[in-house]
């Protein structure tokens, strides 16, 4: 049986830790050296789902320890992927399996380029989870998770145990398309909600914002098509509107970051998109203005 270590036990990392443990898969949380749970010798994650509380106790391990890691799930923010992995790189077994699960694109290539010997997988999830307190997570909405490795049609052996999780978790033979589709949807929703500090539903209700979302979708589609990702943006605008309606009262992850004074993932969403546009000679003025405006708005905000 594989033993998974989780780096980034926030809302999504904590949720997957509980799902793995419920499926009988050994799982340890990796913690910063100053985390008080290290002294306690274990960490308790409380998961609230349908108004019921489920408590899970986990083994913990300090990042600086040196026992080797063979199966690693990384659920940090996109911009923390490389620094977080660098903090435990001395523990990575040769050829270790590493699964990266965050919004955005760009960090996957950065990780693979810096640690070429890792067996690197990428995932995309629509699970709705947010942190209510330090180790308390609300599992607000059941979603599905797709995992894959570019160019790999069938799942590796280790994935069989993930298919036993109490959630929909499937192998994708085309993870690039999955990640691009998620990127396209996030680029059309998250920066607008973060700039206007509104719930997702406002993007359907306010005509000016709805028009902006439509224009963003047109530019995003043009860049995706030029990048060879036409399949990811088929019917992008209706899909984006469906996500907006289905999550109308939600605050997007980027709005939550802005309100908490945290860095946003904009460089791995709109930033990545614009870099692709530049590479293929496709301009995206609406997206560029949005990125600029968001950066200007958040300039000087000290991280919480
Ligand atoms: O990042 C998010 O907040 C979500 O993925 C979504 C649904 C696109 C916006 O709330």
């Amino acid at each position: 049986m594989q033993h998974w270590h989780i780096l980034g036990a926030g809302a999504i990392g904590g949720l997957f830790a509980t799902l793995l443990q419920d499926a009988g898969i050994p799982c340890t949380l990796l913690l910063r050296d100053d985390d008080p749970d290290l002294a306690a010798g274990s960490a308790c994650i409380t998961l609230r789902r349908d108004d019921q509380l489920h408590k899970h106790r986990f083994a913990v391990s300090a990042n600086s320890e040196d026992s080797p890691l063979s199966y690693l799930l990384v659920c940090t923010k996109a911009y923390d992927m490389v620094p977080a992995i660098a903090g435990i790189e001395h523990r990575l077994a040769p050829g270790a399996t590493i699964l990266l699960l965050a919004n955005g694109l760009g960090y996957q290539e950065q990780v693979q380029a810096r640690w070429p010997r890792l067996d690197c997988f990428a995932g995309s999830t629509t699970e709705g989870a947010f942190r209510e307190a330090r180790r308390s997570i609300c599992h607000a909405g059941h979603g599905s998770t797709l995992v894959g490795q570019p160019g790999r049609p069938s799942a590796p052996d280790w994935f069989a145990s993930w298919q036993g999780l109490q959630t929909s978790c499937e192998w994708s033979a085309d993870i690039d398309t999955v990640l691009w589709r998620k990127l396209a949807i996030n680029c059309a929703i998250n920066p607008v909600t973060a700039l206007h500090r509104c719930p997702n539903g406002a993007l359907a209700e306010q005509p000016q914002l709805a028009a902006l979302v439509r224009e963003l979708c047109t530019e995003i589609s043009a860049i995706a098509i030029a990048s060879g990702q036409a399949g990811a943006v088929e019917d992008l605008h209706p899909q984006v509107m469906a996500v907006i309606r289905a999550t109308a009262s939600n605050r997007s992850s980027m709005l939550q970051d802005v309100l908490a004074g945290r860095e946003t993932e904009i460089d791995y969403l709109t930033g990545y998109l614009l870099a692709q546009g530049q590479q293929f000679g496709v301009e995206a003025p609406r997206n560029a203005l949005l990125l600029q405006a968001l950066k200007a708005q958040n300039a000087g905000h000290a991280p919480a």
Side-chain angles (χ1 to χ4, degrees), residues 3-303:
H3 184 147
W4 283 84
H5 284 79
I6 315 254
L7 188 56
I12 292 293
L15 172 66
F16 274 89
T18 65
L19 289 167
L20 288 165
Q21 193 178 69
D22 284 345
I25 302 170
C27 177
T28 297
L29 308 184
L30 293 174
L31 303 179
R32 288 213 316 245
D33 288 12
D34 58 356
D35 193 298
D37 284 334
L38 285 171
S42 66
C44 180
I45 292 184
T46 304
L47 193 73
R48 188 161 69 81
R49 185 190 283 137
D50 304 328
D51 278 330
Q52 291 204 320
L53 296 181
H54 307 267
K55 285 190 183 294
H56 290 74
R57 188 157 288 284
F58 290 95
V60 292
S61 171
N63 291 346
S64 63
E65 273 180 33
D66 32 58
S67 56
L69 312 174
S70 298
Y71 292 90
L72 180 66
L73 171 64
V74 192
C75 297
T76 64
K77 291 280 182 186
Y79 51 79
D80 264 340
M81 282 279 171
V82 169
I85 297 168
I88 50 94
E89 70 181 339
H90 63 286
R91 302 184 61 176
L92 290 168
T97 293
I98 179 164
L99 171 55
L100 310 176
L101 197 57
N103 277 339
L105 274 170
Y107 59 84
Q108 298 90 343
E109 288 100 317
Q110 292 170 351
V111 170
Q112 194 69 80
R114 180 149 170 190
W115 295 283
R117 287 202 286 177
L118 291 178
D119 199 11
C120 206
F121 295 82
S124 174
T125 188
T126 59
E127 293 287 359
F130 60 89
R131 225 179 332 181
E132 292 183 314
R134 188 163 164 274
R135 297 244 187 262
S136 295
I137 300 164
C138 173
H139 190 194
H142 288 274
S144 58
T145 302
L146 288 167
V147 174
Q149 188 177 54
R152 184 171 192 150
S154 53
D157 290 346
W158 64 261
F159 194 67
S161 57
W162 279 64
Q163 283 171 310
L165 301 190
Q166 288 297 305
T167 185
S168 159
C169 188
E170 299 296 333
W171 180 255
S172 169
D174 189 7
I175 194 69
D176 282 336
T177 303
V178 171
L179 296 173
W180 256 96
R181 186 172 300 129
K182 181 83 180 350
L183 174 95
I185 293 172
N186 283 139
C187 284
I189 299 176
N190 297 19
V192 186
T193 59
L195 187 66
H196 295 276
R197 303 197 174 211
C198 60
N200 295 353
L203 277 48
E205 283 152 19
Q206 297 183 23
Q208 261 184 320
L209 297 184
L212 174 58
V213 168
R214 184 182 284 279
E215 287 170 355
L216 293 172
C217 285
T218 305
E219 292 182 359
I220 295 164
S221 297
I223 294 176
I225 291 166
S227 311
Q229 292 293 338
V233 289
E234 252 172 54
D235 293 330
L236 178 62
H237 184 251
Q239 273 196 41
V240 164
M241 295 314 290
V243 172
I244 288 171
R245 284 191 204 97
T247 61
S249 56
N250 290 8
R251 285 177 173 169
S252 76
S253 51
M254 194 176 287
L255 175 57
Q256 289 180 44
D257 288 340
V258 166
L259 294 176
R262 285 190 295 261
E263 192 177 334
T264 74
E265 294 178 306
I266 192 80
D267 288 336
Y268 292 85
L269 295 171
T270 310
Y272 180 86
L273 179 86
L274 292 172
Q276 289 293 116
Q278 219 164 26
Q279 189 180 334
F280 293 100
V282 182
E283 289 194 355
R286 285 282 167 192
N287 281 278
L289 272 176
L290 193 53
L291 178 115
Q292 262 177 25
L294 198 68
K295 290 215 163 186
Q297 186 194 62
N298 297 329
H301 278 209

